[in-house]
Amino acid sequence: AQSVTQLGSHVSVSEGALVLLRCNYSSSVPPYLFWYVQYPNQGLQLLLKYTSAATLVKGINGFEAEFKKSETSFHLTKPSAHMSDAAEYFCAVSLNTGNQFYFGTGTSLTVIP
Amino acid sequence: NAGVTQTPKFRVLKTGQSMTLLCAQDMNHEYMYWYRQDPGMGLRLIHYSVGEGTTAKGEVPDGYNVSRLKKQNFLLGLESAAPSQTSVYFCASSWIAGGPGELFFGEGSRLTVL
């Protein structure tokens, strides 16, 4: 079975500071990787996805993530945090041959003014 | 554009009662999923469907049943609710399994079992 590990269930950053949310996956084959964001009392929305086209993926709202096969990582970054970035972030993995998406346990991002 | 719509959004049940959550999508997606979200556990897949008339078990299927009689609808049923089923339930759909596709989520249904 696939698994996704998100290090740090809670991350706090100051407004304007770098955002780094960590995600590691276990997969015997190159997976498809996703980052989703969930605002309070809402469903999840796609931030960005890696589909083997390029290792550095740019998403919405200034977020980006880099796929590093040697480290089995897909960390999410944003150069400058904004108050509106406060939310829960989920990393997910899926295989081309499967029908299932596997989610990490999520990281809650707090942005301090 | 409605996307994925879940009804009801809130429900309180007593132990042993039954209920059905309805998910409807208007994007002509083949794949539909039911997840539950619990604090500290992320999203866990309950059941999914790869097309009309098909269903399959996910990670945590016990205590739930599903049906996909129409392509646009995916129903999640609890025959005898238990307090352990108190959770937020999310329906999602996708136009292709895994691959470059993405999941489109509903806004969630919050269920409390007393």
Side-chain angles (χ1 to χ4, degrees):
Chain A
Q2 305 305 311
S3 70
V4 179
T5 303
Q6 291 185 240
L7 292 177
S9 57
H10 298 277
V11 171
S12 295
V13 299
S14 298
E15 191 175 15
L18 172 71
V19 176
L20 171 61
L21 305 182
R22 300 178 186 274
C23 173
N24 289 87
Y25 66 92
S26 68
S27 175
S28 57
V29 298
Y32 294 100
L33 294 159
F34 306 81
W35 274 100
Y36 285 85
V37 60
Q38 183 182 31
Y39 298 103
N41 300 314
Q42 295 186 24
L44 281 71
Q45 306 171 33
L46 183 69
L47 266 182
L48 50 81
K49 60 185 178 183
Y50 167 74
T51 59
S52 76
T55 57
L56 183 62
V57 181
K58 295 187 182 301
I60 61 172
N61 301 335
F63 284 93
E64 62 182 36
E66 185 173 9
F67 172 67
K68 292 187 176 181
K69 184 178 179 180
S70 61
E71 300 177 6
T72 61
S73 69
F74 191 56
H75 301 331
L76 182 71
T77 61
K78 181 173 181 178
S80 177
H82 192 272
M83 296 299 294
S84 61
D85 295 327
E88 186 98 17
Y89 292 81
F90 293 92
C91 182
V93 62
S94 182
L95 299 182
N96 189 36
T97 56
N99 300 313
Q100 300 186 34
F101 292 74
Y102 298 90
F103 284 84
T105 53
T107 299
S108 178
L109 176 66
T110 299
V111 181
I112 304 167
Chain B
N1 191 357
V4 178
T5 303
Q6 295 180 226
T7 53
K9 290 186 169 44
F10 301 93
R11 186 73 188 269
V12 179
L13 290 177
K14 295 181 179 179
T15 297
Q17 288 185 318
S18 63
M19 74 157 294
T20 300
L21 296 177
L22 170 63
C23 176
Q25 53 96 0
D26 61 2
M27 297 173 283
N28 202 35
H29 286 171
E30 288 293 335
Y31 301 91
M32 297 187 74
Y33 309 79
W34 275 107
Y35 287 90
R36 60 177 288 173
Q37 183 179 28
D38 302 290
M41 304 192 74
L43 275 77
R44 292 181 292 169
L45 182 64
I46 304 171
H47 286 281
Y48 64 99
S49 168
V50 300
E52 182 178 314
T54 74
T55 63
K57 294 180 179 180
E59 302 172 71
V60 289
D62 294 343
Y64 305 95
N65 57 76
V66 288
S67 64
R68 183 98 180 267
L69 298 180
K70 295 182 178 180
K71 185 177 183 179
Q72 64 268 33
N73 295 337
F74 195 31
L75 279 65
L76 178 70
L78 285 71
E79 291 187 348
S80 180
S84 61
Q85 294 177 303
T86 293
S87 187
V88 181
Y89 292 85
F90 286 97
C91 177
S93 68
S94 174
W95 60 275
I96 187 171
E102 66 180 87
L103 291 174
F104 292 82
F105 284 87
E107 293 189 344
S109 297
R110 186 175 296 275
L111 174 65
T112 301
V113 183
L114 303 176

